Amino acid sequence: MRPDEIESALQGLADEHRLRRRPLLSGPQEPRVKIDGRDYLAFASNDYLGLANHPAIRQAMQQAIDEWGVGGGASALVAGHFDIQQQAEAALAEFVGCEAALLFGAGYAANLGVITSLVGRGDAVFADRLNHASLNDGCLLSRATFKRFRHNDLEHLEQLLRDTPARSRLIAVDAVYSMDGDEAPLRELLQLAERYDAWLYLDDAHGFGLLGEGRGALVEYALHHPRVVYMATLGKAAGVAGAFVAGSRQLIAWLVNTARTLIFTTAHPPAQAAAVLQALQLMEQEKWRRELVKRHISLLREGLRATSFALCSSRSPIQPIIIGGNKETLQLAAALRERGIWVPAIRPPTVPAGSARLRVSLSAGHTHDDVAELLAVLLMLIC
Ligand SMILES: *Cc1c(COP(=O)(O)O)cnc(C)c1O
């Protein structure tokens, strides 16, 4: 990209209905939001349990600011690792049933840091085609040979594993796919990892808080194993921000020594850790949140079953409606907005070409009536 080319490149994106902008939110992230000055019922956030504006978490964070201040100061390796973050790491490790855990500033940073710590030049990474972009970026940055296998296709993966001469191997998958809501066959993937002597790296951004009674995919599938490296984000169902990696004490010690997105970054705000500790408690105590989301999922799926809308095989709060073309998808999203409903249109390159979709995201913050309203408007729009 040369400086004089940006203008026409932006115009090109606009012509293809791919120009993106950030809708301006004036208030907290909740199902009822004001965006660009208008009120909407939104199905856009990954705040699946409705914790992003929970009073107990707000209070925990406010109190922690009084105790710990706001800034991290420097890398935790240089200026110190906050005790409250240590407590959060211990609680997270226990919550998911691992020996140890390590906080990162974001899921994106965790994926880059962990993958590049475990594999490098001469090694090989194997990634599902529908993996999140941050996993792909971690794989590319690692300089390992990067092989992508067809979505959830174990035979394709096995063939690639069989053919690799690399000594260190890593299989990276989303536990729950972020744009489809379906799940990876984790038990079978672990068997392949064992057979072909590979790490299995699980990105549970969309399973943590929901699967395994809230403890995530590792617990749901009882996958605790020295080959498994677990990552979950804390900005989605946990409602806060950041991410953590969990595994053996040795693995965590290795990451502290080698994960560049941990070493060369400023420690994140300590008050965030206090908020995470409070979110974990709520995830444990307020089971009704998961149950309510499940009811919302059934209501929406039942309601759309007999229509021409194509749903994915998802039991997660991610319920995409595949439309196909970019333009049609944008038109449908605009028609919903006219009726006060905000559902994001997801287009390539986030999803494969020709599979543009409305990504409906359900939350315990929604009421039964909210979901019924979405359903009624969708049904009206296809008639
Ligand atoms: C959101 C997401 C990430 C990135 O996490 P952040 O904390 O938002 O940086 C990583 N992986 C998947 C699958 C995600 O959906």
Side-chain angles (χ1 to χ4, degrees):
M1 177 66 57
R2 291 155 37 104
D4 60 348
E5 288 172 346
I6 288 191
E7 190 180 344
S8 67
L10 283 171
Q11 189 55 50
L13 287 176
D15 293 345
E16 290 169 41
H17 305 282
R18 281 175 50 196
L19 190 65
R20 293 155 183 248
R21 50 179 288 279
R22 294 167 301 161
L24 192 63
L25 195 60
S26 39
Q29 191 57 265
E30 286 176 329
R32 301 277 169 180
V33 288
K34 194 184 271 290
I35 298 178
D36 297 331
R38 269 196 66 184
D39 292 321
Y40 292 99
L41 168 60
F43 295 88
S45 151
N46 299 321
D47 177 24
Y48 302 124
L49 297 177
L51 297 181
N53 189 30
H54 193 290
I57 303 180
R58 288 201 330 229
Q59 199 191 6
M61 197 154 174
Q62 280 159 353
Q63 280 177 358
I65 287 175
D66 291 341
E67 192 172 346
W68 299 98
V70 289
S75 167
L77 280 86
V78 173
H81 168 49
F82 292 94
D83 183 83
I84 186 81
Q85 290 173 338
Q86 181 68 45
Q87 288 173 41
E89 288 176 349
L92 287 162
E94 199 198 318
F95 195 67
V96 301
C98 290
E99 269 179 19
L102 183 62
L103 284 167
F104 280 81
Y108 199 121
N111 283 345
L112 260 53
V114 177
I115 295 173
T116 54
S117 284
L118 297 179
V119 287
R121 215 184 285 282
D123 299 332
V125 285
F126 303 87
D128 189 286
R129 276 254 169 80
L130 295 190
N131 273 358
H132 190 262
S134 58
L135 283 172
N136 291 339
D137 290 358
C139 292
L140 286 170
L141 190 62
S142 75
R143 299 182 177 86
T145 304
F146 182 17
K147 300 275 186 197
R148 298 174 82 191
F149 55 94
R150 286 186 293 272
H151 180 50
N152 279 350
D153 186 337
L154 294 164
E155 276 177 30
H156 189 201
L157 170 60
E158 181 158 17
Q159 186 192 329
L160 295 173
L161 284 164
R162 208 184 289 125
D163 292 347
T164 183
R167 211 174 65 83
S168 294
R169 300 112 188 247
L170 180 142
I171 303 166
V173 293
D174 284 21
V176 175
Y177 286 87
S178 54
M179 293 299 141
D180 291 64
D182 62 335
E183 288 164 50
L186 296 181
R187 291 216 177 91
E188 292 80 0
L189 286 167
L190 179 55
Q191 283 169 6
L192 284 181
E194 288 202 82
R195 193 171 314 145
Y196 293 95
D197 191 17
W199 291 102
L200 177 59
Y201 184 59
L202 295 186
D203 176 337
D204 198 24
H206 301 279
F208 185 69
L210 297 150
L211 296 176
E213 297 286 310
R215 291 162 196 268
L218 207 55
V219 172
E220 170 96 12
Y221 294 101
L223 278 186
H224 302 84
H225 190 283
R227 292 188 177 280
V228 175
V229 182
Y230 180 76
M231 193 287 290
T233 65
L234 299 167
K236 288 169 180 156
V240 188
F244 71 99
V245 176
S248 67
R249 258 183 220 100
Q250 266 187 350
L251 172 77
I252 299 304
W254 177 249
L255 294 177
V256 168
N257 281 274
T258 57
R260 296 171 65 85
T261 55
L262 177 88
I263 298 170
F264 298 105
T265 200
T266 302
H268 40 285
Q272 221 171 274
V276 165
L277 281 164
Q278 181 60 59
L280 281 185
Q281 266 191 33
L282 291 167
M283 280 160 60
E284 224 173 340
Q285 289 162 0
E286 301 193 344
K287 283 195 176 62
W288 63 264
R289 293 179 180 273
R290 276 183 293 281
E291 282 151 20
L292 183 59
V293 179
K294 271 190 201 149
R295 287 201 296 278
H296 292 342
I297 296 167
S298 313
L299 179 65
L300 185 75
R301 291 185 68 86
E302 290 297 321
L304 292 180
R305 182 155 295 157
T307 71
S308 58
F309 282 128
L311 285 170
C312 292
S313 71
S314 161
R315 61 168 172 155
S316 87
I318 305 166
Q319 292 293 330
I321 302 172
I322 312 282
I323 308 297
N326 293 348
K327 196 172 156 199
E328 295 73 17
T329 309
L330 287 173
Q331 279 169 348
L332 198 52
L336 284 162
R337 280 200 301 278
E338 270 167 37
R339 289 158 184 84
I341 296 184
W342 187 278
V343 179
I346 307 286
R347 290 153 282 161
T350 307
V351 293
S355 73
R357 64 199 65 188
L358 294 176
R359 182 180 181 273
V360 175
S361 178
L362 299 165
S363 164
H366 291 119
T367 63
H368 171 94
D369 287 354
D370 290 341
V371 183
E373 185 181 336
L374 168 68
L375 195 54
V377 174
L378 281 170
L379 293 175
M380 187 192 71
L381 287 174
I382 49 163
C383 291

